Amino acid sequence: MGEHHTVASFDEDLGAISKLISDMGELAGSMVGGATKALLNSDNALAQRVVSDDAIMDARQRELDDRAITLIAKRQPMANDLRAVVGSIRMAGDLERIGDLAKNIAKRVGTVGLSVTPRDLSHSIDVMAQLVLVQVQGVIEEYAAADAAALAKLRNDDERIDVKYTSVFRELLTYMMEDPRNITACTHLLFCAKNLERIGDHVTNIAENAYYVLTGSQLPANRPKQDETAMSAPAA
């Protein structure tokens, strides 16, 4: 009876940690979507909500860390169970960073303004943001569904975000060169696009950790990065 109770308690503790990962993933998606919408629509109220949500994200990460550390200390999990707990700590760290990056985009909203963003550039950033949002939402859903193959594919799909970022980077440089009055706004938009690209990288980390938790194997480390902006920038 005692052993059965211990197993049940461990499963409940692990379930609570998994629920926190799910909640953090849902909040991360909401923050990324909200920050992008606020940026493209110059919606300062929505931007402020995203900034406020970051405190909730931070609190959830702290709660997950506390639960995970307590679980390790009390239950001394082995093998698969330990992998799940440590993997959750790592995934929560990446989700918290996604929240930070979404908050940073939201904080730029008032500075960018509505009138300075050309329609085709807004569309490019929106397309990039939608790619990122699909990744953020997908990685949590696929981890919850224990779909290792889908996680491996999602990790490789980050390449599309890198390619789109390179395209947006080049468009922004063009606008800045065409009219110096665009430089300030485009610099802020460049920062936002870079943050979206970095969110994609954190999703990749989550996919890799989730895959490891589910399978006990590491994905190959040599996924090529397609961010070519270092080569795109004019030589000094």
Side-chain angles (χ1 to χ4, degrees):
M1 176 69 182
E3 185 178 339
H4 175 74
H5 176 72
T6 301
V7 170
S9 299
F10 179 84
D11 287 345
E12 285 169 13
D13 290 343
L14 203 53
I17 289 171
S18 295
K19 175 71 164 60
L20 278 167
I21 288 288
S22 177
D23 290 347
M24 289 179 75
E26 190 176 319
L27 182 59
S30 169
M31 290 178 72
V32 171
T36 307
K37 187 176 178 183
L39 179 70
L40 297 175
N41 298 323
S42 290
D43 187 335
N44 286 304
L46 178 56
Q48 190 51 54
R49 198 186 80 202
V50 173
V51 172
S52 300
D53 280 347
D54 189 53
I56 299 171
M57 182 70 87
D58 291 347
R60 285 180 179 165
Q61 188 200 14
R62 284 194 298 272
E63 183 184 349
L64 185 144
D65 281 351
D66 288 346
R67 282 181 175 273
I69 290 164
T70 301
L71 181 58
I72 291 169
K74 277 168 51 182
R75 310 289 183 199
Q76 297 179 344
M78 304 292 286
N80 294 3
D81 292 331
L82 181 61
R83 201 165 65 225
V85 177
V86 173
S88 295
I89 293 171
R90 289 175 174 167
M91 286 186 272
D94 280 301
L95 287 165
E96 189 273 334
R97 285 296 298 137
I98 289 172
D100 285 344
L101 292 164
K103 176 185 72 174
N104 290 345
I105 293 171
K107 287 166 79 171
R108 300 262 165 166
V109 168
T111 315
V112 173
L114 182 63
S115 60
V116 295
T117 311
R119 185 178 297 273
D120 51 347
L121 184 55
S122 293
H123 176 71
S124 293
I125 290 175
D126 189 32
V127 168
M128 182 179 178
Q130 292 310 310
L131 288 172
V132 172
L133 196 54
V134 166
Q135 293 283 90
V136 171
Q137 293 167 339
V139 75
I140 299 302
E141 289 170 5
E142 285 154 14
Y143 177 55
D147 191 339
L151 286 165
K153 180 181 181 302
L154 184 142
R155 196 276 289 254
N156 292 333
D157 283 348
D158 182 61
E159 183 179 327
R160 293 186 299 165
I161 296 171
D162 296 339
V163 169
K164 191 64 189 173
Y165 171 65
T166 300
S167 168
V168 169
F169 179 89
R170 287 171 175 162
E171 280 185 69
L172 284 163
L173 282 187
T174 301
Y175 281 112
M176 286 191 272
M177 288 188 285
E178 283 176 353
D179 187 344
R181 289 172 297 183
N182 291 335
I183 288 175
T184 299
C186 285
T187 300
H188 287 294
L189 288 172
L190 191 57
F191 175 91
C192 293
K194 182 62 181 176
N195 277 2
L196 285 170
E197 190 260 346
R198 289 171 67 199
I199 288 169
D201 290 342
H202 284 288
V203 173
T204 295
N205 291 346
I206 294 168
E208 289 170 351
N209 273 307
Y211 184 90
Y212 177 65
V213 168
L214 293 174
T215 67
S217 302
Q218 301 276 6
L219 282 165
N222 59 346
R223 188 191 71 80
K225 286 289 291 174
Q226 294 294 324
D227 170 9
E228 297 171 2
T229 55
M231 291 181 280
S232 306

